[in-house]
Amino acid sequence: MKRIALPKMAVSLFLAVLAAALMISINEVSFNQSMAAAANIEEGQQTRRAINKLLQQVLDAETGQRGFLLTADPRYLEPYNTATAEIDQTLDVLRQQFTPYPDQLAEFGILARHVSSKLAEMDLSVRMRKESNEDAWKFVLTTDIGKEHMDAIREETTKLGAGSVSKMELGHAQIRKTLQLSRIGIATMALAGLLVFYMYLLQTKAVLASDQREQESLQRERDMLESQVRERTADLAKLATHLQNVREDERGHLARELHDELGSLLTAAKLDVARLKSRLADSQPEAAERLAHLTSTLNSGIALARRIVEDLRPSALSHLGLAASLEILAREFAERSGLSITTDIESVDLSGSAQLTVYRLVQESLTNIGKYANASQAEISLHDFDGYITVEVKDNGQGFELESVGPTSHGLAGMSHRVEAAGGRLTVASTEGSGTQILAVLPKTI
């Protein structure tokens, strides 16, 4: 599913990049067109202002000229002179604005000629008025030549003004077109963005669904593996328990065989040696001495057989009970190992298998102390509580780090399994140089 989703996501990414590129292109085109349209509008406004200014300047010059002609007052020449001086500047400005446009430049040439003619007509009448040539300036004033020039100037300025207005209208139309294009582009890109987002949501949903299915598949596999591990662990635990029971049965059978067969043979041999010794004691002292040594050897063999039988299957459990058996085990181990062992053992009411579990736990703990602890003292305690008992074995030996105990430590593993099989819990506490504590908590119902 992920292989399918990845190309789809690549398509979505391509569409998103394409939409962004189109949006940038549309915005750039719209911006450039808007700037060009704004420049056209501004140019048209400047042209229109310059045309209106030129017309106003011509009117001001004509007004000043007529005032001077009628009154001969030089003060009227001030606006006339100012206007005529500014007209040339305004014409230069208009000429520069119309230069890029041949058609309008031709119209401007006509306007410029009419303005020049008007200025020449006004200049002529002013000079004749200054020279007091009454008939001449009055004749010029009464003719329609000035009006004709002025009407021509108005007509040309109107045409050029209409051209500037057309340019501004074209700029406005271009801006409206650009805005419309931008609206369409933005709407299109918005729809494309929604489409891409929708595709992304679908792909995300597909990816999440695929991940969910993979998670569920992995969870099922984990559950199956955990179930198999639990089954295998339970089978191994049952097998280990069965092996321990078989081991105990074999040890019991071997103990009975040793007790019944080997014990009987050694005892019979000891009795035969005793009879031979009584008969040969006076006549053959050397033979009697050898028989005495043989009797001692047989006694040692009988004692060894008894100790082996007790290790294999402690008879004290069935005859004396758990508390007495532990006391005997502690005393005999102390005699063999030289350890100082103190006991704090309470009588408890347990089944035969539970008594054997506790006995084997203490026996294995003492064996480990004798082999590895390098201890001088040990403590054994058995306490009875409501519903459970506690068994504790401590020593003052060299201890060990629990992390260093590997899977090959079959002694601790065997104790732990034996206690857990009985429904209890085994705790081992030890640090280097501080001794070891083994504590088991078992229910009374075992």
Side-chain angles (χ1 to χ4, degrees), residues 47-65 78-88 90-91 94 111 115 118-119 122 150 153-154 157-158:
T47 302
R48 188 175 182 182
R49 285 195 296 268
I51 292 172
N52 292 333
K53 184 178 180 181
L54 176 64
L55 181 60
Q56 185 62 45
Q57 290 170 348
V58 173
L59 290 174
D60 291 342
E62 186 181 37
T63 301
Q65 176 242 358
E78 293 179 5
Y80 169 79
N81 294 329
T82 301
T84 55
E86 292 177 350
I87 285 173
D88 292 334
T90 305
L91 288 174
L94 288 172
L111 173 62
V115 171
K118 180 62 177 177
L119 291 177
M122 289 189 295
M150 198 65 201
I153 290 173
R154 287 191 179 94
T157 54
T158 301

Side-chain angles (χ1 to χ4, degrees), residues 158-180:
T158 301
K159 290 180 180 179
L160 292 175
S164 64
V165 171
S166 298
K167 185 181 292 185
M168 288 189 292
E169 290 177 351
L170 180 63
H172 287 297
Q174 184 64 38
I175 289 176
R176 286 192 296 270
K177 181 180 178 181
T178 301
L179 292 176
Q180 187 67 23

Side-chain angles (χ1 to χ4, degrees), residues 81-146:
N81 294 329
T82 301
T84 55
E86 292 177 350
I87 285 173
D88 292 334
Q89 298 177 359
T90 305
L91 288 174
D92 291 337
V93 172
L94 288 172
R95 187 175 292 105
Q96 292 176 359
Q97 292 176 351
F98 290 132
T99 298
Y101 311 102
D103 295 339
Q104 293 181 351
L105 183 60
E107 292 288 340
F108 172 73
I110 297 174
L111 173 62
R113 287 195 296 272
H114 287 300
V115 171
S116 297
S117 298
K118 180 62 177 177
L119 291 177
E121 176 262 327
M122 289 189 295
D123 182 65
L124 177 61
S125 60
V126 168
R127 281 190 291 106
M128 286 188 297
R129 184 70 174 95
K130 288 180 180 180
E131 295 173 356
S132 300
N133 191 347
E134 297 291 332
D135 294 335
W137 69 263
K138 287 180 180 180
F139 174 78
V140 174
L141 185 62
T142 56
T143 60
D144 291 333
I145 188 170

